[in-house]
Amino acid sequence: MSYAIVGFGKVGQALAHAFARKNIDVTVASRRPPEALAPQAQAIGPTVVARSLRDALEADTIILAVPFGEHREVAKALPSWKGKTIIDAMNALVPPEELDGLLSSAFVAKAFTGAKLVKGFNHLAAAKLAADPVVEGGHRVVFLSSDDDDATAPVAALAKQLGFAPVKLGKLAEGGALVHARDGVWGQLIFQDLFRKEQ
């Protein structure tokens, strides 16, 4: 399984730290050329490699950590997303009418035709995501939701590999609504920094 993080702001860098901590290879990319990201990527760890967006999108699993408005540009980079898993780590602070009345991840899923989409890693602030998720024997919780049951299991396995405790919330419009932000209204589970004793 190959991984890429698209977007190298605070959240993208925080996730890169999580991969580096466990020596898991991850490609990072953004609108900036790879050579502009390379010094920061190398500083995070040897398993974090800056590449072009096109190269990064060859990964099996792609974490979207761009500002919400930019996801459509990323989606245009490939003619088909079949066989790819997209992890939506973004939050959309836009009015519901801009999302056709959908939750943000359901709206994002429409842009990535053919991909399996999982909402995840979006409810914690970047500093918490970057920190070691194992504290006093407990594992920091990450919430996952998807309309595709097959997609959640490998993302949960990745979360565990990174040291987090994945909690599946079910479908996007059901449990997933608890971790969505829309128009300045935050789901009840956003910013909840929870730990689970067992992995």
Side-chain angles (χ1 to χ4, degrees):
M1 189 70 76
S2 54
Y3 302 104
I5 300 166
V6 175
F8 205 50
K10 286 182 183 173
V11 170
Q13 289 180 41
L15 288 163
H17 276 281
F19 277 85
R21 192 180 297 113
K22 296 293 184 178
N23 290 316
I24 300 168
D25 291 330
V26 67
T27 300
V28 296
S30 80
R31 285 175 305 180
R32 293 183 291 157
E35 50 274 18
L37 310 182
Q40 278 173 302
Q42 286 161 359
I44 292 171
T47 61
V48 180
V49 180
R51 292 216 167 95
S52 69
L53 179 61
R54 188 159 288 286
D55 287 347
L57 296 181
E58 289 178 13
D60 305 309
T61 300
I62 296 150
I63 304 176
L64 276 186
V66 295
F68 184 79
E70 291 175 22
H71 77 271
R72 287 189 197 89
E73 284 307 306
V74 177
K76 286 177 193 165
L78 286 184
S80 167
W81 292 85
K82 199 162 177 52
K84 305 276 184 195
T85 297
I86 302 287
I87 301 173
D88 175 12
M90 305 177 296
N91 286 312
L93 304 180
V94 297
E97 49 274 18
E98 283 187 33
L99 302 174
D100 301 335
L102 297 169
L103 289 170
S104 63
S105 288
F107 186 79
V108 170
K110 289 200 313 183
F112 291 87
T113 316
K116 295 177 175 181
L117 186 129
V118 179
K119 181 81 171 173
F121 297 100
N122 70 297
H123 84 284
L124 292 169
K128 297 267 190 231
L129 268 182
D132 190 336
V134 182
V135 177
E136 293 173 18
H139 296 261
R140 181 168 271 127
V141 166
V142 292
F143 296 110
L144 305 176
S145 56
S146 178
D147 290 341
D148 191 322
D149 295 338
D150 296 342
T152 311
V155 176
L158 170 64
K160 276 189 174 181
Q161 222 182 328
L162 295 173
F164 293 95
V167 172
K168 297 175 190 174
L169 296 178
K171 301 224 178 293
L172 295 173
E174 296 161 5
L178 299 172
V179 289
H180 280 264
R182 269 201 318 197
D183 198 20
V185 178
W186 299 91
Q188 293 100 310
L189 293 178
I190 286 197
F191 301 134
Q192 295 293 319
D193 190 16
L194 307 174
F195 290 85
R196 239 180 30 195
K197 274 293 177 200
E198 81 293 346
Q199 260 283 61

